[in-house]
Amino acid sequence: MKAPLTGRRSAVGAGLTVLATGEAAGQGGDAGHVVLLGDSIFDNKGYVAGGPDVVAHLRNRLPAGWRGSLAAVGGAVAGDVVRQLGRVPQGASHLVVSAGGNDALRQEAILGQEARSVGEGLVRLAAVVDRFRQDYRAMLDAVLARRLPTAVCTVYDPRFADPQRQQLAVAGLVLFNDAITREAFRRGLPLIDLRLVCDEAADFANAIEPSVQGGRKIAGAIARFALDRPGGRSVIYGGQLGGSAA
């Protein structure tokens, strides 16, 4: 999947409309202000041993005069992002949301429950994901009410040392990421696919937090979104080059 997503762009679907439209700040000469919302994927300062965190990398990647601010809080779930909106400074031009990983982590125990059939297990997972979808949808409603260009992030694959735990986590996250991508595409929002951005072991400080290298790559994808003009289309940002659509 990674190769076709790199270096080209096209519409994800006809008629998708961005709810948070408007010319990106900085395109007409005005400096922009990118604000990060969500969890420790952005709020990773405690995991980089004094190195630059995601927002520090972002500030270095943005043009002169642009700003980057952190409103994300480690441990946050999707529903917590609504409260974080109160920390968005005046003059913000772009919002980026990374949420869902902690929602999934809190439900990890369900993967170890016994079930009489695969179908029974899937029904339990479906119920969990449906609740997450409702929380995520309500959160996006609140974020998009700010009427600012907004991008959302998928949850990247963790790096658990236990092979079985790793396989179960990746399989379970497919369902959570499906909910995120559907909501992004339904609303015509740009999507930063962190599964494609953080695709090396060195991108992780531990099993679930980004390292200095991972933070740099995440910041690069965010900067590409902020400086781009999706033009009312759902654009996927993944890997090291420009945005593209599936």
Side-chain angles (χ1 to χ4, degrees):
M1 285 182 63
K2 187 173 179 180
L5 288 173
T6 303
R8 66 176 181 83
R9 299 176 57 195
S10 60
V12 169
L16 290 177
T17 304
V18 178
L19 297 183
T21 53
E23 286 293 316
Q27 301 296 339
D30 296 328
H33 188 170
V34 184
V35 181
L36 307 182
L37 300 162
D39 53 30
S40 58
I41 301 303
F42 293 158
D43 183 24
N44 72 321
K45 190 174 184 63
Y47 305 99
V48 292
D53 57 0
V54 171
V55 72
H57 281 303
L58 178 61
R59 290 164 181 157
N60 289 331
R61 298 295 295 266
L62 293 172
W66 280 62
R67 298 176 62 192
S69 291
L70 179 69
V73 177
V77 295
D80 295 328
V81 175
V82 177
R83 290 190 292 276
Q84 293 175 16
L85 289 170
R87 303 174 61 189
V88 174
Q90 286 277 35
S93 64
H94 298 74
L95 303 177
V96 184
V97 181
S98 173
N102 290 314
D103 300 76
L105 193 61
R106 290 184 181 186
Q107 301 298 330
E108 187 182 15
I110 198 174
L111 298 175
Q113 293 178 359
E114 293 186 1
R116 290 171 295 181
S117 67
V118 173
E120 180 182 338
L122 288 175
V123 167
R124 293 179 191 171
L125 284 172
V128 167
V129 174
D130 187 59
R131 289 193 295 272
F132 168 69
R133 182 180 291 107
Q134 294 176 38
D135 291 343
Y136 198 86
R137 185 174 295 164
M139 176 272 291
L140 274 186
D141 287 342
V143 171
L144 294 179
R146 293 298 180 100
R147 307 191 72 80
L148 295 173
T150 299
V152 300
C153 300
T154 60
V155 182
Y156 52 38
D157 295 334
R159 289 297 189 275
F160 292 124
D162 177 30
Q164 183 178 24
R165 187 184 184 190
Q166 176 69 11
Q167 287 180 326
L168 288 173
V170 171
L173 282 172
V174 168
L175 301 176
F176 282 81
N177 280 321
D178 178 70
I180 292 170
T181 11
R182 284 176 184 267
E183 285 303 310
F185 291 171
R186 187 170 72 87
R187 300 162 187 263
L189 295 176
L191 180 77
I192 298 173
D193 196 335
L194 296 183
R195 295 169 295 184
L196 303 179
V197 175
C198 293
D199 57 353
E200 302 175 278
D203 295 333
F204 294 82
N206 57 37
I208 59 174
E209 311 292 352
S211 64
V212 170
Q213 174 178 299
R216 182 174 64 249
K217 293 165 74 172
I218 292 169
I222 294 170
R224 291 196 298 274
F225 151 69
L227 299 173
D228 201 1
R229 286 182 173 179
R233 298 177 295 171
S234 281
V235 176
I236 300 172
Y237 294 88
Q240 298 301 300
L241 299 179
S244 61

